[in-house]
C-alpha cells in the first residue's frame, strides 16, 4: 500500500512577469518500507518535492497524502503536530542542537511533543548506530559521520511513517556517506519505515528499491 502519495502536485512561483513551475503536476508514491531515491539536476524540483512531502511548504495545487491523511489541506498548527509524529527528517548539515548532548538531541522530538520515552527502543537505536559510547558527548566533539548518525537516530525516535533525507551524505566523505546510507536502509527495513532520499550520488541511488528522476519540475521516469 502507498504510505505516501501526491496527486497533480504543483508549486508555482511568480517572478515578476515570469511564472516558474518548481513542480509542474507530479504524481508520486512510495510504499510502506520502501527506499526511494529521488535524482535529477540541480533546480529540477527534488528538494521542493521533499519540502512538500514533509509539510515544510504548501503546494500551489494538488494533494499530499500520508497515512491516508491529506496533509496539504491541514492548518499550519495541525501540520506541525502531524509532522512531528509521522515524518522524520535528515538534513545535509545535521542540524543538531549544539548545547545538547547526543542523547538529548536524539530524544528531543519526543520531549517537544510531550511523548513518553521508550527507553528500550531508544537504546536499540543508539546501539544500532554505534553511538553507545558517545551518548553524553556534545555534537562539536563528534566527527561528521557520527553527527549524521545522531541526526538519523533523532529522525527515527518517534517511529515515523516516512523518513525524508535531503542530500544526507553531502557533507561527508564518500566512504562515511555510504556507511550512513547503509545504516539508514538497514534501520528503515528493520522498523518498516519508508525512506525517501534526494541525492546526486549514483551509488546511493542504485542502493534504493526505486529511482525517481525529476527534471524541470516533472517526473521523467521511475525505475
Amino acid at each position: 500500500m502507498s504510505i505516501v502519495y501526491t496527486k497533480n502536485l504543483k508549486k508555482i512561483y511568480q517572478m515578476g512577469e515570469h511564472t516558474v513551475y518548481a513542480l509542474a503536476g507530479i504524481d508520486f508514491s512510495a510504499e510502506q518500507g520502501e527506499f526511494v531515491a529521488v535524482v535529477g539536476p540541480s533546480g529540477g524540483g527534488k528538494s521542493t518535492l521533499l519540502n512538500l512531502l514533509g509539510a515544510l511548504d504548501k503546494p500551489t495545487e494538488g494533494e499530499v497524502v500520508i497515512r491516508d491523511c491529506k496533509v496539504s489541506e491541514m492548518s499550519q498548527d495541525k501540520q506541525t503536530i502531524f509532522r512531528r509524529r509521522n515524518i522524520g527528517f535528515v538534513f545535509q548539515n545535521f542540524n543538531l542542537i549544539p548545547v545538547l548532548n547526543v542523547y538529548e538531541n536524539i530524544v528531543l522530538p519526543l520531549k517537544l511533543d510531550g511523548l513518553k520515552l521508550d527507553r528500550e527502543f531508544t537504546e536499540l537505536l543508539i546501539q544500532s548506530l554505534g553511538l553507545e559510547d558517545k551518548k553524553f558527548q556534545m555534537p562539536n566533539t563528534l566527527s561528521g559521520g557520527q553527527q549524521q548518525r545522531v541526526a538519523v537516530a533523532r529522525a527515527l525516535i518517534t517511529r515515523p511513517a516516512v523518513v525524508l533525507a535531503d542530500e544526507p551524505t553531502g557533507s561527508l566523505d564518500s566512504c562515511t556517506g555510504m556507511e550512513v546510507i547503509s545504516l539508514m536502509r538497514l534501520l528503515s527495513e528493520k522498523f518498516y519505515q519508508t525512506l525517501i532520499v534526494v541525492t546526486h550520488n549514483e551509488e546511493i541511488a542504485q542502493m534504493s528499491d526505486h529511482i525517481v528522476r525529476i527534471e524541470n519540475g516533472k517526473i521523467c521516469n521511475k525505475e
Side-chain angles (χ1 to χ4, degrees), residues 133-147:
D133 60 344
K134 308 292 182 185
K135 285 196 294 187
F136 304 112
Q137 290 187 216
M138 304 305 286
N140 65 354
T141 68
L142 304 178
S143 68
Q146 290 166 343
Q147 289 187 62

Side-chain angles (χ1 to χ4, degrees), residues 153-220:
R154 182 183 59 189
L156 296 176
I157 193 67
T158 59
R159 306 190 199 201
V162 181
V163 177
L164 304 176
D166 194 357
E167 297 286 358
T169 65
S171 297
L172 308 175
D173 65 75
S174 59
C175 183
T176 303
M178 293 303 291
E179 186 179 85
V180 168
I181 286 291
S182 295
L183 281 168
M184 289 177 69
R185 169 153 198 161
L186 182 66
L187 291 171
S188 70
E189 289 175 350
K190 187 171 188 175
F191 302 125
Y192 207 42
Q193 293 164 317
T194 300
L195 176 60
I196 302 173
V197 177
V198 164
T199 184
H200 283 99
N201 188 310
E202 185 63 26
E203 278 189 90
I204 291 172
Q206 292 302 323
M207 292 171 63
S208 68
D209 298 309
H210 295 291
I211 300 173
V212 175
R213 178 169 293 277
I214 296 181
E215 294 182 14
N216 298 319
K218 296 180 180 179
I219 291 180
C220 298

Side-chain angles (χ1 to χ4, degrees), residues 13 18 50 54 62 66 70 77 157 164 171 179 188 205:
Y13 298 97
H18 301 285
L50 220 64
I66 298 176
K70 292 185 179 180
D77 288 344
I157 193 67
L164 304 176
S171 297
E179 186 179 85
S188 70

